[in-house]
């Protein structure tokens, strides 16, 4: 993670003198959160990988692109981010004058952590003429070393916007990178990073499930490994997958991404069946442990005390912004 002290909500609250941290178990947390949001003119942004109860009280639910667009355009005084650290950092970079709160600062990201900025800086020096495209799932510090950001929704458009004769470094997700190489025919230099959640799926178990459900379509997020993507009937970002399940005539889907998105799929298509793709062990590993650190209780405390706050050095705020602005411009021009 980047240049902020990593402390969880309770540690920060303790540091700030709030010692009565036991939340009254009889409190109607949803009612209190709604009340606090209104009182403080705060907007609650939630990623699709949040628990359903958090999705249901959010002002906006979306994927990484949608959340960045919301963070850039909101009129609220405060952004409360039910997501992970890099997302809240991105919101702070896009709205530096607003207070940005992440209910648990330990909500990190294995993919962002797989690409420490000092190591990447050395790696980048080997390719001085290359354009650096970084998946938005990276630290704010890495964004300062990046020319254009991308998300899984716009990655193809971003790569295609770069002149064909220009070399490209793509970081940090090697699986999304390999997918982009396949789709664009470009020779990207890849950083060797990955998401722990999207690398957990078992090809054997998925094949068995597909055989048992011949009427189901198998759909997958491009952060999955190539041998999983090779079996997919459709590949897309979180929003892409959701939209596909709405428009497809199929009545059953096997879904290879974080399980939180199933809540919206079920809400939008109540007559369809959604089966989470099985991981290669028996635990619920396609739940992102970082995303799932957010709880209603932490959201309530974060709104009440306006902590833990995302603070970034001015140099990071300034240098990290250009690559996100470029991404938002290219996305807007592509109608995304
Ligand atoms: P998208 O939101 O771009 O689908 O990315 C998924 C993800 O892993 C977010 O952490
Ligand atoms: Fe990071 Fe993967 Fe969790 Fe997304 S799902 S926050 S990429 S660890």
């Amino acid at each position: 993670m980047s240049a902020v002290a990593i402390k969880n909500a309770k540690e920060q609250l303790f540091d700030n003198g709030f010692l009565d941290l036991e939340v009254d178990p009889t409190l109607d947390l949803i009612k209190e959160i709604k009340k606090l949001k209104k009182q403080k003119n705060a907007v609650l942004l939630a990623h699709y990988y949040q628990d359903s109860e958090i999705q249901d009280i959010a002002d906006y639910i979306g994927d990484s692109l949608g959340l960045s667009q919301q963070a850039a355009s909101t009129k609220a005084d405060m952004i409360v981010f039910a997501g992970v650290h890099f997302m809240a950092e991105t919101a702070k970079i896009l709205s530096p004058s607003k207070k940005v709160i992440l209910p648990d600062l330990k909500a990190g990201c294995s993919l962002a952590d797989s690409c420490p900025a000092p190591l990447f800086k050395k790696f980048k020096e080997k390719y001085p003429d290359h354009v650096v495209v970084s998946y938005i799932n990276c630290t704010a510090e890495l964004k300062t070393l990046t020319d254009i950001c991308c998300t899984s929704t716009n990655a193809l458009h971003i790569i295609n916007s770069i002149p064909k004769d220009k070399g490209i470094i793509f970081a940090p997700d090697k699986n999304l990178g390999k997918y982009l190489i396949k789709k664009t025919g470009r020779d990207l230099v890849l950083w060797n990073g990955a998401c722990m959640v999207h690398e957990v799926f078992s090809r054997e178990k998925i094949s068995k499930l597909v055989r048992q459900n011949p009427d189901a379509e198998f759909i997958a997020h491009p952060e999955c490994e190539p041998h999983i993507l090779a079996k997919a009937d459709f590949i897309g970002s979180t929003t892409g997958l959701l939209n596909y399940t709405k428009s497809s005539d199929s009545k059953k889907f096997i879904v290879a991404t974080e399980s939180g998105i199933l809540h919206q799929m079920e809400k939008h298509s109540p007559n369809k069946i959604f089966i989470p793709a099985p991981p290669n062990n028996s635990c619920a590993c396609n739940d992102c442990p970082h995303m799932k650190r957010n709880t209603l209780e932490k959201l309530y405390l974060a709104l009440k005390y306006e902590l833990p706050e995302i603070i970034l050095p001015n140099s990071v705020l300034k240098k990290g912004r250009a690559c996100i602005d470029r991404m938002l411009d290219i996305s807007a021009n592509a109608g995304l």
Side-chain angles (χ1 to χ4, degrees):
M1 277 177 219
S2 67
V4 290
I6 303 305
K7 290 191 170 186
N8 73 24
K10 291 202 173 181
E11 285 165 340
Q12 273 214 2
L13 289 167
F14 186 84
D15 285 353
N16 282 276
F18 300 109
L19 302 175
D20 60 331
L21 296 174
E22 289 308 317
V23 175
D24 176 355
T26 63
L27 211 58
D28 181 341
L29 287 175
I30 293 179
K31 202 168 131 201
E32 291 302 316
I33 289 169
K34 284 184 179 162
K35 204 161 83 189
L36 284 166
K37 271 198 304 150
K38 209 168 169 189
Q39 258 173 29
K40 302 193 179 205
N41 188 26
V43 67
L44 174 56
L45 306 183
H47 191 272
Y48 283 129
Y49 295 167
Q50 292 301 299
D51 276 336
S52 48
E53 55 186 13
I54 294 181
Q55 291 188 34
D56 289 346
I57 50 160
D59 297 298
Y60 176 82
I61 326 161
D63 70 354
S64 305
L65 177 62
L67 289 164
S68 315
Q69 289 164 333
Q70 289 294 318
S73 64
T74 181
K75 298 271 181 295
D77 295 319
M78 194 195 302
I79 298 173
V80 181
F81 218 114
V84 292
H85 197 266
F86 76 81
M87 295 179 171
E89 281 186 332
T90 304
K92 183 68 189 173
I93 292 171
L94 287 166
S95 288
S97 60
K98 295 189 197 306
K99 200 173 232 187
V100 177
I101 307 292
L102 181 67
D104 188 331
L105 281 185
K106 285 183 179 157
C109 168
S110 64
L111 182 51
D113 289 348
S114 70
C115 192
L119 289 184
F120 182 76
K121 193 163 183 265
K122 287 212 166 74
F123 178 77
K124 178 182 157 163
E125 279 162 13
K126 291 194 269 178
Y127 307 94
D129 299 327
H130 281 47
V131 175
V132 176
V133 177
S134 295
Y135 195 32
I136 203 159
N137 304 33
C138 67
T139 63
E141 261 177 297
L142 202 86
K143 290 182 176 78
T144 67
L145 302 169
T146 296
D147 297 304
I148 318 178
C149 256
C150 74
T151 73
S152 50
T153 292
N154 59 26
L156 262 173
H157 289 87
I158 302 289
I159 298 296
N160 286 333
S161 74
I162 299 167
K164 290 252 179 318
D165 58 344
K166 206 77 191 132
I168 300 173
I169 300 176
F170 186 81
D173 189 355
K174 64 177 176 197
N175 294 319
L176 177 60
K178 286 177 192 167
Y179 171 71
L180 293 169
I181 290 173
K182 202 167 164 213
K183 292 297 275 186
T184 61
R186 302 280 290 260
D187 186 19
L188 312 184
V189 176
L190 301 182
W191 180 265
N192 187 20
C195 159
M196 63 194 280
V197 180
H198 288 90
E199 283 209 325
V200 85
F201 298 107
S202 157
R203 178 169 47 183
E204 289 67 34
K205 288 188 194 168
I206 290 170
S207 299
K208 193 168 162 204
L209 203 54
V210 168
R211 280 198 302 278
Q212 287 166 343
N213 295 277
D215 53 335
E217 283 193 87
F218 172 55
I219 60 175
H221 193 282
E223 286 176 33
C224 295
E225 292 171 283
H227 64 268
I228 301 292
L229 295 181
K231 299 192 74 59
D233 299 304
F234 178 78
I235 297 168
S237 66
T238 316
T239 300
L241 296 176
L242 175 62
N243 289 341
Y244 185 75
T245 59
K246 288 192 231 169
S247 61
S248 165
D249 290 336
S250 296
K251 294 278 176 283
K252 207 190 256 184
F253 300 88
I254 299 164
V255 186
T257 189
E258 213 272 358
S259 59
I261 186 63
L262 268 65
H263 179 56
Q264 290 302 319
M265 290 175 171
E266 282 161 355
K267 256 180 131 170
H268 284 281
S269 306
N271 298 321
K272 297 184 180 181
I273 295 168
F274 300 97
I275 309 169
N280 53 21
N281 50 36
S282 54
C283 69
C285 296
N286 46 348
D287 274 350
C288 173
H290 307 291
M291 290 278 185
K292 271 20 187 209
R293 286 188 85 100
N294 294 307
T295 61
L296 285 181
E297 190 188 271
K298 286 182 196 170
L299 263 179
Y300 164 72
L301 285 172
L303 265 159
K304 184 170 176 188
Y305 296 110
E306 303 183 17
L307 285 169
E309 187 180 355
I310 297 289
I311 309 279
L312 291 170
N314 275 338
S315 57
V316 173
L317 285 174
K318 266 197 187 148
K319 279 212 271 173
R321 175 141 192 169
C323 63
I324 308 173
D325 281 343
R326 271 184 216 120
M327 171 190 88
L328 292 175
D329 284 349
I330 297 169
S331 299
N333 289 337
L336 297 172

